[in-house]
Amino acid sequence: MGIKLNDNQIMGTAFVVLIVMLGAMLMGGQTGQVLFSYSIIAFFGLYVLIGTHSQAKNKNGSPFLKLTGGLVLLLGIVFAALWYFHFQNPTYTDPVYWFGVPRATAVLVYGLWMPPAIYMMFAYPYLFSRYIWDDDEAAEFRSMERRETPSVAGGDD
Amino acid sequence: MALDIIIVAIAAIYLMMVLAIGVWGIRQTETTADFLISGKRFAGWAIAFSAFASIMSGFGFIGGPGLFYAGGYAFLWIAIVAPLAFPISWFVLGKKMRLLAEVRDILTIPDAVYARYNSETVRVLTAVSVLLGIISYLAVQLKAMGFVLGEILGTTQLTAVLIATAVIAVYTIGGGMIAGVMTDAIQGGVMVVGSILVFFIALDYGGGLTRMSQEIAVNDPSFAGAFGSFPVMLTLCWYFLFTIGNSGQPHMAHKLYMVRDVKLLKWGAPIAALSYFAASLMMLGIGISVRAGVETGALSSLSNPDSAAPFFLTEFVPPVLAGIVFAAALGAIMSTSDAFINIGAANLARDIPIGLGFEYNSDRQELWSHRAGSAIIIIGSLLIAYYAEILVGLLGIVGWALFATALVPLLGIGLNWEGATKEGAIASVSMGLAANLGLAIGQQFFNFTLPNSIVIGAFTLVLSTIVLIGVSFVTSSDARETITSDIRKVVSV
């Protein structure tokens, strides 16, 4: 499966998400907070997609789309749980405790801290040899002529 | 704090060890490339450890427990981001930064920006933004070092900071990044081990997580809440700024040049992320146990929240372990400081002069200019820390953002999108610099704040990224044609 979006489309989407993010920040209140959190998630996904789309184009888009989709889905679910429990008891008066902390805090400590991180940190070595860097690319870069230092090369402005 | 001979001895051994590495590094450093990027000689694990140690600053070890003491679980919104941020940075920048150093003689972050946009204007603007961030961060780190070492040695903070700065000066001025990465690796190891042990001691002292969470909520239930006692929007801004901003931190991104081979990047993300997670546990353990102790009346309240960690370590942790953790705290501060000194020296001796048209006659001349630059940065930051606190406070408001607003758009996006243009880069970095400084001045001198507790850095990061993309779209007619073939290869690979 190839990546369907080209880089300009991804950047255009990122542009729109950032505008929404800015609007959510300025809006404030519960709606602004929730919208801001989901625009953050969308931008995380797009940022990973921006960083991987050239590899996806050159090799195979499917693993990177799954990677991004998985991250967005995971964060989306965790934030949904966070907001649900937070808004049920926003003052945290006599809260229900899960694993030593109020429920919303438990979502933060046990759901948002490490699960998305573990998913991403092990995805990198898992994808590395097949999709991120291989011996052919290494040989191609080794054969490229190395340019002089920037101080010697000079700029165009 | 009462002087404990065991703690003093461990701290002294630690400083001597760092000094010895510095002397070794001096012998290894023969060229400017050795000094600035360690001659690209290190394995992936060393670079990952060094990246984690640089990001885990004095804030993490001293400020983290203090922040929990002041605002409850809100502090987690800063602590939890790094384990996710490191792999994101590796995906977005890891290969690209290392390949840039493969095709060009690139030694600094502004070098990379220059290579990407072929513009001295972008290079100088980036260097200025990075330099301002470094001044604020380094001054804060030096003061933190005086605080920690002063607690250990029982001296004045000024005496303590002079001792620690002398050690840092030897290994950074002499050994550059070769000594920097080696000390970071050891400092990182000490941080991880010390943090895990103290975390369990803190949980045991407080009677477990449930009991402590209930105790800290006695007077203010929101302390145990997911956002602590801080505004929700503020904590969300932290989450965004510190996750995406990680890839825009020069002391992190710069490390990616230094790995011996691109292939060695493979395990860097989990090593950096898991190390940071382990080193964060101490913040949680000490923060919650000290706060719970104060809420129940078992402990007196602290006049300074930043005293939470030193207080707990000296009162409740066995001296040998306390000494190791104090050494770890010093290590956290020193590892961040050495990276900043190196990058700041490069700004002074390479990025700004070259951007303004100056050329060195020989590599040896440039190497010694970097050593002189390191000395200037150290002395200048010391003076600023103690005699220009208003500047530290001003830049401290936007310290992390000064880096992120410049480098996330320019490198995080620019190294992955052929359509990013020179005009977009100039507009983005100029706007980021102006907005950060303008809003910081407004906050510092005119009590101006953004609505809804928006964090300035998060706001300016969004703005500068919008500007890069928007202006690049408008000026994109020849962006793909003007990019040089080697850089195009890096961007498209």
Side-chain angles (χ1 to χ4, degrees):
Chain A
M1 187 175 89
I3 281 248
K4 298 281 188 273
L5 292 172
N6 67 35
D7 55 356
N8 278 343
Q9 287 171 321
I10 296 172
M11 296 314 304
T13 311
F15 185 80
V16 172
V17 167
L18 287 165
I19 298 284
V20 171
M21 190 185 286
L22 205 58
M25 280 176 165
L26 295 170
M27 181 194 297
Q30 287 186 3
T31 309
Q33 291 160 7
V34 174
L35 187 59
F36 183 45
S37 68
Y38 279 92
S39 61
I40 289 173
I41 294 169
F43 190 75
F44 284 4
L46 284 162
Y47 197 52
V48 173
L49 213 52
I50 289 165
T52 56
H53 81 271
S54 60
Q55 294 139 61
K57 230 167 21 184
N58 295 337
K59 298 185 190 318
N60 181 357
S62 177
F64 295 106
L65 278 179
K66 286 178 186 165
L67 170 80
T68 308
L71 176 67
V72 169
L73 185 68
L74 186 54
L75 288 173
I77 291 169
V78 172
F79 263 96
L82 175 69
W83 290 126
Y84 177 74
F85 293 126
H86 173 71
F87 288 131
Q88 277 204 334
N89 182 9
T91 59
Y92 294 86
T93 310
D94 297 325
V96 176
Y97 279 80
W98 279 358
F99 305 107
V101 288
R103 284 186 301 186
T105 313
V107 173
L108 173 68
V109 174
Y110 304 109
L112 197 56
W113 193 345
M114 285 313 283
I118 288 170
Y119 171 71
M120 291 298 285
M121 75 175 75
F122 288 108
Y124 191 80
Y126 178 74
L127 296 171
F128 190 85
S129 301
R130 285 185 66 190
Y131 300 107
I132 295 176
W133 186 240
D134 59 35
D135 291 339
D136 292 343
E137 278 179 330
E140 198 177 342
F141 268 89
R142 270 195 296 271
S143 68
M144 283 174 69
E145 189 183 349
R146 193 179 175 81
R147 294 220 172 182
E148 290 178 317
T149 59
S151 56
V152 178
D156 69 349
D157 66 358
Chain B
M1 184 181 114
L3 198 67
D4 187 305
I5 194 68
I6 296 175
I7 294 176
V8 172
I10 291 173
I13 291 169
Y14 169 76
L15 290 175
M16 295 298 288
M17 189 172 65
V18 170
L19 211 51
I21 293 171
V23 172
W24 168 81
I26 293 170
R27 292 186 188 150
Q28 301 291 314
T29 302
E30 294 173 353
T31 66
T32 306
D34 288 338
F35 188 86
L36 293 181
I37 60 168
S38 70
K40 292 185 275 189
R41 70 178 64 197
F42 284 106
W45 69 267
I47 295 306
F49 237 54
S50 179
F52 133 70
S54 299
I55 292 290
M56 172 63 82
S57 63
F59 165 77
F61 260 56
I62 302 300
L67 193 56
F68 190 102
Y69 182 85
Y73 280 100
F75 102 101
L76 271 183
W77 289 92
I78 295 178
I80 65 171
V81 299
L84 175 62
F86 276 117
I88 289 179
S89 296
W90 245 252
F91 270 112
V92 172
L93 274 187
K95 188 171 79 167
K96 303 292 169 87
M97 292 295 282
R98 182 59 185 82
L99 286 178
L100 264 186
E102 195 72 25
V103 300
R104 296 277 181 104
D105 283 333
I106 280 174
L107 303 178
T108 67
I109 293 295
D111 276 354
V113 168
Y114 172 84
R116 170 61 184 86
Y117 298 99
N118 208 30
S119 164
E120 296 291 9
T121 308
V122 184
R123 184 212 289 266
V124 171
L125 286 169
T126 306
V128 169
S129 196
V130 169
L131 189 60
L132 288 174
I134 280 172
I135 288 170
S136 69
Y137 257 72
L138 195 52
V140 171
Q141 296 302 316
L142 292 177
K143 291 197 91 165
M145 204 153 53
F147 175 71
V148 174
L149 198 59
E151 291 282 305
I152 298 171
L153 301 179
T155 63
T156 64
Q157 290 195 14
L158 187 59
T159 305
V161 84
L162 289 174
I163 294 170
T165 304
V167 174
I168 288 189
V170 168
Y171 84 81
T172 54
I173 294 174
M177 280 322 292
I178 293 177
V181 173
M182 279 302 289
T183 50
D184 287 357
I186 292 169
Q187 287 157 353
V190 175
M191 281 185 232
V192 168
V193 173
S195 171
I196 292 171
L197 292 174
V198 171
F199 174 68
F200 286 108
I201 288 174
L203 284 189
D204 183 56
Y205 163 77
L209 197 57
T210 305
R211 186 171 144 189
M212 288 191 289
S213 291
Q214 288 169 341
E215 286 171 352
I216 65 169
V218 167
N219 292 320
D220 182 356
S222 70
F223 251 71
F227 302 96
S229 60
F230 288 0
V232 172
M233 186 63 85
L234 178 139
T235 59
L236 292 174
C237 283
W238 285 345
Y239 185 64
F240 170 70
L241 174 63
F242 290 109
T243 305
I244 294 297
N246 180 285
S247 56
Q249 299 307 297
H251 48 309
M252 201 292 297
H254 186 222
K255 298 280 171 11
L256 297 169
Y257 291 152
M258 301 177 196
V259 70
R260 197 165 56 234
D261 189 308
V262 183
K263 264 197 274 191
L264 298 175
L265 287 169
K266 183 174 178 179
W267 290 99
I271 291 171
L274 289 173
S275 302
Y276 195 99
F277 167 70
S280 305
L281 291 174
M282 192 190 86
M283 298 186 217
L284 177 62
I286 291 183
I288 190 171
S289 58
V290 173
R291 186 77 227 183
V294 169
E295 292 294 338
T296 57
L299 304 174
S300 304
S301 63
L302 302 176
S303 55
N304 176 7
D306 286 343
S307 300
F311 171 75
F312 186 86
L313 291 171
T314 50
E315 297 296 324
F316 302 109
V317 175
V320 172
L321 180 57
I324 291 172
V325 175
F326 270 119
L330 278 178
I333 300 165
M334 292 172 96
S335 57
T336 308
S337 302
D338 67 43
F340 283 138
I341 291 166
N342 188 275
I343 295 166
N347 277 165
L348 285 184
R350 181 180 175 90
D351 300 319
I352 294 174
I354 289 176
L356 297 175
F358 178 80
E359 288 182 22
Y360 287 104
N361 295 324
S362 68
D363 186 71
R364 188 162 183 76
Q365 186 190 29
E366 184 173 355
L367 172 61
W368 280 98
S369 298
H370 284 281
R371 286 185 162 143
S374 298
I376 291 168
I377 288 284
I378 292 169
I379 294 166
S381 297
L382 260 181
L383 292 175
I384 287 168
Y386 285 92
Y387 297 107
E389 288 191 22
I390 196 159
L391 184 63
V392 179
L394 178 70
L395 295 176
I397 295 169
V398 289
W400 178 278
L402 279 164
F403 300 138
T405 51
L407 301 181
V408 167
L410 266 52
L411 294 179
I413 291 177
L415 283 182
N416 291 290
W417 181 37
E418 285 184 37
T421 65
K422 182 174 72 182
E423 293 77 9
I426 292 172
S428 171
V429 72
S430 305
M431 204 287 307
L433 200 51
N436 276 318
L437 293 179
L439 290 170
I441 289 168
Q443 182 171 318
Q444 182 86 350
F445 299 113
F446 304 103
N447 290 324
F448 171 79
T449 53
L450 290 167
N452 307 319
S453 303
I454 295 170
V455 174
I456 290 174
F459 185 75
T460 54
L461 177 57
V462 173
L463 276 185
S464 64
T465 311
I466 287 173
V467 168
L468 176 92
I469 299 171
V471 175
S472 293
F473 271 132
V474 175
T475 57
S476 68
S477 56
D478 62 349
R480 287 167 201 270
E481 286 69 40
T482 54
I483 191 168
T484 54
S485 60
D486 58 339
I487 300 302
R488 186 197 306 280
K489 182 71 189 161
V490 171
V491 173
S492 65
V493 74

